[in-house]
Amino acid sequence: MIKKSGFAAIFGKPNAGKSTLLNHLLKYNLSVVNRKVQTTRNKILGILTEENYQIVFIDTPGELEPKYELQNFMLSEIKSSLDEADVVIQITDILNINFEELRKTEDRFGELLKNKKRIIALNKIDLINKDKILPVIEKLSGLYINSDIIPVSALKNENTGELLNLIVKYLPEGDFFYDKDELTDKPEKFFVSEIIREKILRFYHEEIPYSVMVNITEFKERSEILTYINADIVVERETQKIIIIGKKGEGLKRIGEKARMDIENFLNKKVYLDLFVKVRKDWRNDKKFIRENYG
Ligand SMILES: Nc1nc2c(ncn2[C@@H]2O[C@H](COP(=O)(O)OP(=O)(O)OP(=O)(O)O)[C@@H](O)[C@H]2O)c(=O)[nH]1
Ligand SMILES: [Mg+2]
């Protein structure tokens, strides 16, 4: 039997639905999804293995003009993902198409994209009248002459099967890169920190979600059934620390309770979770700190 396998980068603007698509194709909630922009910060591999193919998806951070060091890191994650990819799935929110921006993307990433099979996935079609879709595709086809354009809804799973078929069509022939049971490249610790960060994205607003990083400082299996986890929630300013902790510690307690339940489901074990809030002044612009904690 001929086997196909390769890397498929999921690429696009913040909030376009990249992580949602990844999770639906994998049928597993691997990557954090949120209404806010800049949810994904690292590239995350999600591996889909079937009898005759293996797609190694790479979820990437949203493409934006970097304004601080963390965003420079995010941009470097996008670039290395595109570089590794055999197929690029470029997700575009059909309600938010800006041709000037899309042209800028071509200027910025053209060199990395030029020899890749590219699929433009027009996402969120569940939010638009169906007869409005075709004119958008026609308009875009001038910009993406060598690419397929396919309308989908990642959220409602519309046309995602067709998208998957197209990706498989473009995969190179070759042996699998990963064992068939492997789902990702990242360790459990990474996903635990993402579960905690997701609670903060959900419960807090304005600049807090963008100023938070979660660092797992201890991860110990105390017994067959109990894991002890110690995590620092790192913020940029003293005032943010006060907001996160909340009145009488209610805020931190809420994060801890919700995160612990999700971590227990994820690890399938009882968890003792200790959370601390720490201030590292302006860490988003601290190259050394970012290098130590990301990457
Ligand atoms: N209605 C609708 N909403 C969607 C669809 N796909 C994603 N969303 C929503 O769009 C928001 C952003 O989704 P994400 O998957 O986090 O987007 P992303 O591109 O990974 O975002 P970043 O990681 O911040 O770049 C979430 O609220 C999703 O539920 C879709 O097909 N239809
Ligand atoms: Mg994302």
Side-chain angles (χ1 to χ4, degrees), residues 184-243:
T184 184
D185 62 324
K186 292 259 186 274
E188 279 180 336
K189 240 172 88 164
F190 170 79
F191 293 101
V192 168
S193 73
E194 287 286 271
I195 288 171
I196 299 167
R197 196 169 63 89
E198 192 262 333
K199 301 296 165 268
I200 299 161
L201 283 176
R202 201 185 303 167
F203 300 150
Y204 297 85
H205 304 286
E206 287 164 28
E207 93 285 8
I208 300 263
Y210 307 101
S211 306
V212 160
M213 69 94 59
V214 177
N215 188 13
I216 308 295
T217 51
E218 244 187 288
F219 190 104
K220 275 202 190 115
E221 291 191 1
R222 284 268 165 90
S223 70
E224 285 276 297
I225 51 158
L226 181 75
T227 300
Y228 174 77
I229 297 171
N230 194 326
D232 286 346
I233 295 171
V234 184
V235 292
E236 295 198 298
R237 289 194 294 278
E238 211 53 56
T239 47
Q240 295 167 341
K241 176 173 169 173
I242 293 165
I243 294 171

Side-chain angles (χ1 to χ4, degrees), residues 15 20 46 57 77 86 99 103 107 120 132-133 153 191 194 209 211 213 218 229 247 263-264 272 278 286 288-289:
N15 229 33
T20 305
F57 289 105
E77 290 284 89
D86 300 291
F99 277 84
R103 275 194 203 97
D107 291 341
I120 312 294
K132 296 233 168 81
I133 299 172
S153 165
F191 293 101
E194 287 286 271
S211 306
M213 69 94 59
E218 244 187 288
I229 297 171
K247 259 192 211 137
I263 297 167
E264 286 183 341
Y272 188 93
K278 301 216 167 131
D286 188 335
K288 185 163 167 273
F289 181 80

Side-chain angles (χ1 to χ4, degrees), residues 13-29:
K13 303 274 177 213
N15 229 33
K18 299 177 291 299
S19 303
T20 305
L21 180 75
L22 174 78
N23 292 344
H24 280 248
L25 293 177
L26 291 177
K27 301 190 180 79
Y28 184 81
N29 284 337

Side-chain angles (χ1 to χ4, degrees), residues 25-278:
L25 293 177
L26 291 177
K27 301 190 180 79
Y28 184 81
N29 284 337
L30 188 73
S31 192
V32 173
V33 166
N34 195 277
R35 281 192 290 123
K36 300 187 179 82
V37 295
Q38 297 180 52
T39 297
T40 309
R41 290 177 178 168
N42 303 74
K43 61 175 171 185
I44 300 167
L45 298 194
I47 305 161
L48 179 67
T49 307
E50 295 291 350
E51 186 85 4
N52 54 348
Y53 68 82
Q54 180 173 74
I55 308 173
V56 184
F57 289 105
I58 319 174
D59 189 15
T60 67
E63 179 218 339
L64 42 73
E65 194 65 54
K67 294 203 173 59
Y68 42 85
E69 278 304 327
L70 176 64
Q71 293 182 337
N72 278 331
F73 167 77
M74 287 156 66
L75 184 62
S76 71
E77 290 284 89
I78 299 174
K79 284 185 172 159
S80 66
S81 306
L82 293 179
D83 194 34
E84 283 160 26
D86 300 291
V87 183
V88 174
I89 305 141
Q90 184 168 343
I91 313 276
T92 308
D93 180 340
I94 197 160
L95 295 178
N96 263 313
I97 293 185
N98 177 331
F99 277 84
E100 207 176 310
E101 284 285 319
L102 292 175
R103 275 194 203 97
K104 271 194 205 156
T105 302
E106 296 306 296
D107 291 341
R108 184 186 274 148
F109 297 101
E111 205 42 45
L112 280 165
L113 291 168
K114 80 174 182 225
N115 294 323
K116 312 282 177 187
K117 295 284 182 202
R118 188 152 42 138
I119 303 166
I120 312 294
L122 274 180
N123 193 28
K124 309 198 185 181
I125 57 162
D126 56 292
L127 297 176
I128 194 172
N129 211 318
K130 294 282 179 276
D131 54 4
K132 296 233 168 81
I133 299 172
L134 203 58
V136 179
I137 295 182
E138 274 167 10
K139 240 180 127 188
L140 283 176
S141 58
L143 186 60
Y144 303 111
I145 3 175
N146 295 318
S147 310
D148 296 82
I149 304 175
I150 176 168
V152 297
S153 165
L155 189 72
K156 303 269 159 79
N157 255 335
E158 283 180 58
N159 242 5
T160 45
E162 285 74 4
L163 174 61
L164 195 61
N165 291 341
L166 211 49
I167 300 166
V168 175
K169 181 175 128 190
Y170 290 140
L171 281 188
E173 286 179 14
D175 282 337
F176 294 174
F177 291 93
Y178 292 89
D179 196 273
K180 66 177 181 5
D181 302 324
E182 278 181 86
L183 194 61
T184 184
D185 62 324
K186 292 259 186 274
E188 279 180 336
K189 240 172 88 164
F190 170 79
F191 293 101
V192 168
S193 73
E194 287 286 271
I195 288 171
I196 299 167
R197 196 169 63 89
E198 192 262 333
K199 301 296 165 268
I200 299 161
L201 283 176
R202 201 185 303 167
F203 300 150
Y204 297 85
H205 304 286
E206 287 164 28
E207 93 285 8
I208 300 263
Y210 307 101
S211 306
V212 160
M213 69 94 59
V214 177
N215 188 13
I216 308 295
T217 51
E218 244 187 288
F219 190 104
K220 275 202 190 115
E221 291 191 1
R222 284 268 165 90
S223 70
E224 285 276 297
I225 51 158
L226 181 75
T227 300
Y228 174 77
I229 297 171
N230 194 326
D232 286 346
I233 295 171
V234 184
V235 292
E236 295 198 298
R237 289 194 294 278
E238 211 53 56
T239 47
Q240 295 167 341
K241 176 173 169 173
I242 293 165
I243 294 171
I244 292 216
I245 293 173
K247 259 192 211 137
K248 296 183 183 148
E250 297 276 336
L252 193 60
K253 197 171 146 204
R254 176 157 82 141
I255 300 168
E257 280 171 0
K258 300 281 184 202
R260 182 180 49 77
M261 285 195 271
D262 282 2
I263 297 167
E264 286 183 341
N265 276 332
F266 170 67
L267 297 174
N268 214 356
K269 279 188 180 152
K270 283 271 163 229
V271 163
Y272 188 93
L273 178 65
D274 249 344
L275 292 178
F276 295 90
V277 186
K278 301 216 167 131

